[in-house]
Amino acid sequence: MSAFPAPSCGCINVFWDDGMLSHDTGSGVFDSGVKPTFLDVLEKHPENSERVKNMVSILKRGPISPYISWHSGRSAVLPELLSFHTQEYVNKLVEADRDGGKEICTGTFLNPGSWDAALLAAGTTLSAMKHILHGHGKIAYALVRPPGHHAQPTQADGYCFLNNPGLAVKLALDSGCSKVAVVDIDVHYGNGTAEGFYRSSDALTISLHMNHGSWGPSHPQNGTVVELGEDKGFGYNLNIPLPNGTGNKGYEHAMIQLVVPAIEKFRPDMIVLVIGQDSSAFDPNGRQCLTMDGYREIGRIIRGLTDKYCDGRLLIVQEGGYHVTYSAYCLHATLEGVLNLPLPLLSDPIAYYPEDEAFAVKVIESIKRYHRETVPFLKEP
């Protein structure tokens, strides 16, 4: 850890580029692209530019704005993509863009402007990581779209073309970090990131997600507790599939009982927090019950871990979150927690959603026992 220069900025450095708004995912029945003639009103694809516009605006004009430092993004160059993705896969994306675009897989549309936006998302995430690695700031947030954590080395998946967090982890490992931990709280399994490091002991990938299983050829992984990694990477992919409806207390219990002990044992040089507000109580693409309070507490726990084990170095990468307004509020709360502010800056406009954490606690305790019996670095001495 001492190999990196000491940063001087204590704020959250947000990396953003308006060019990412050029990714037009179209409209239809939810994310299908289907346009039935018998419907008068079609909705925008859930991964649309409006959701991110609100995230940008709440950070610029919301009460957290004094704590935010803005930085421009950039486009990734093709050789950078090959640290995580295969040349054959990248070539397919380039060809699809040259041909005017296509549906790459179910619900994932590469339209004119999409490839440029994907390159911007990847490059902007790499810039955010470099900002930390070069000692210019301890906390950086890559506010990017299209999202990335489902993109595997050889295929697109789940609205994702390029794996933004995976590229950032590879950069950190190639730049002197010996170990990097990824904590993914998007409501869906971060299967692409896990696949990229499935045989590596240098990256610990932890994913808290609803228990959705596989959704087809583009997403063959199930996200179950038994998918622990392979070869040298065995035990370094920890899945935490939570029951549908798990809320603030259940997520906090999972963080304290499963995530914190894993980070304490792994002792990473850097943490990458992969955030998706689709875990919220009101998201159209999720089945969980997190509210602003829950996101705030997750941010606070992660901040404590980075201060204790990573000299405060934390990269945050944006993923899902499809409620156009509430996603922005939940982002604001997450960053409040990361800043470890004593009191909330912004009240919850929708407020409390009833939850029963009892079942989630039983599942989390079962996962904890399984990890301690199966994962070598987590076994009790």
Side-chain angles (χ1 to χ4, degrees):
M1 290 189 286
S2 60
F4 302 106
S8 58
C9 179
C11 63
I12 297 179
N13 298 278
V14 178
F15 286 75
W16 162 253
D17 192 291
D18 287 345
M20 287 180 279
L21 300 176
S22 66
H23 176 41
D24 183 357
T25 46
S27 61
V29 177
F30 200 60
D31 64 0
S32 68
V34 175
K35 298 177 171 59
T37 58
F38 46 78
L39 291 180
D40 285 338
V41 179
L42 296 174
E43 58 186 316
K44 290 186 175 181
H45 188 288
E47 205 295 279
N48 61 69
S49 62
E50 291 179 355
R51 54 181 282 272
V52 179
K53 285 181 180 178
N54 269 350
M55 293 178 188
V56 172
S57 62
I58 202 169
L59 298 187
K60 286 187 173 180
R61 303 197 301 273
I64 202 171
S65 60
Y67 299 91
I68 302 297
S69 177
W70 290 91
H71 303 266
S72 59
R74 67 166 178 90
S75 297
V77 294
L78 294 182
E80 289 178 310
L81 307 181
L82 302 183
S83 67
F84 188 92
H85 296 287
T86 64
Q87 181 74 65
E88 182 183 14
Y89 171 59
V90 173
N91 289 345
K92 287 180 180 178
L93 294 176
V94 171
E95 291 167 7
D97 178 57
R98 287 174 182 168
D99 293 341
K102 61 185 259 188
E103 184 176 10
I104 303 294
C105 60
T106 302
T108 306
F109 299 92
L110 194 151
N111 292 322
S114 298
W115 180 234
D116 289 340
L119 290 173
L120 270 173
T124 298
T125 305
L126 291 172
S127 289
M129 176 59 88
K130 285 183 179 179
H131 191 81
I132 299 171
L133 294 173
H134 293 168
H136 300 310
K138 288 191 174 184
I139 305 174
Y141 168 40
L143 177 46
V144 295
R145 73 176 289 263
H149 72 150
H150 296 311
Q152 295 144 69
T154 61
Q155 65 179 353
D157 178 38
Y159 316 159
C160 304
F161 306 106
L162 300 172
N163 195 301
N164 306 314
L167 289 165
V169 171
K170 290 290 289 185
L171 175 63
L173 293 173
D174 292 342
S175 300
C177 283
S178 60
K179 294 188 291 186
V180 178
V182 179
V183 180
D184 189 330
I185 62 167
D186 185 281
V187 81
H188 304 107
Y189 176 32
N191 61 310
T193 313
E195 182 68 22
F197 301 101
Y198 212 61
R199 294 167 180 81
S200 171
S201 59
D202 299 329
L204 172 65
T205 53
I206 307 173
S207 178
L208 297 85
H209 48 268
M210 70 177 180
N211 196 7
H212 54 66
S214 169
W215 57 57
S218 69
H219 189 105
Q221 302 87 357
N222 287 295
T224 61
V225 293
V226 300
E227 296 171 12
L228 288 168
E230 295 176 351
D231 302 328
K232 289 194 303 181
F234 180 79
Y236 294 94
N237 182 68
L238 301 180
N239 291 331
I240 305 173
L242 297 170
N244 291 354
T246 298
N248 297 341
K249 294 178 181 178
Y251 267 80
E252 182 181 358
H253 191 70
M255 291 292 296
I256 292 172
Q257 295 297 319
L258 300 175
V259 177
V260 170
I263 297 294
E264 288 177 341
K265 288 287 186 72
F266 186 66
R267 294 183 173 267
D269 299 323
M270 172 89 69
I271 292 177
V272 176
L273 174 62
V274 180
I275 58 173
Q277 296 80 23
D278 45 6
S279 305
S280 85
F282 308 101
D283 198 273
N285 214 350
R287 300 292 184 273
Q288 304 299 53
C289 293
L290 277 177
T291 66
M292 289 177 68
D293 285 344
Y295 283 102
R296 194 177 287 111
E297 185 59 28
I298 290 172
R300 188 173 290 115
I301 291 170
I302 291 294
R303 174 61 185 270
L305 290 170
T306 58
D307 285 348
K308 187 173 182 180
Y309 298 106
C310 311
D311 194 27
R313 287 193 297 273
L314 171 66
L315 174 67
I316 307 165
V317 183
Q318 181 63 44
E319 291 292 342
Y322 307 106
H323 190 294
V324 171
T325 52
Y326 198 56
S327 291
Y329 277 85
C330 292
L331 166 63
H332 196 285
T334 305
L335 299 187
E336 288 178 39
V338 167
L339 287 166
N340 205 23
L341 300 177
L343 295 171
L345 296 175
L346 196 61
S347 61
D348 195 321
I350 306 179
Y352 183 71
Y353 191 91
E355 62 171 292
D356 178 6
E357 75 274 18
F359 182 48
V361 168
K362 289 182 180 179
V363 171
I364 290 162
E365 292 304 315
S366 175
I367 295 173
K368 183 178 180 180
R369 288 194 299 272
Y370 179 78
H371 283 171
R372 287 186 171 179
E373 292 169 359
T374 312
V375 177
F377 85 96
L378 289 176
K379 287 182 177 180
E380 291 296 326

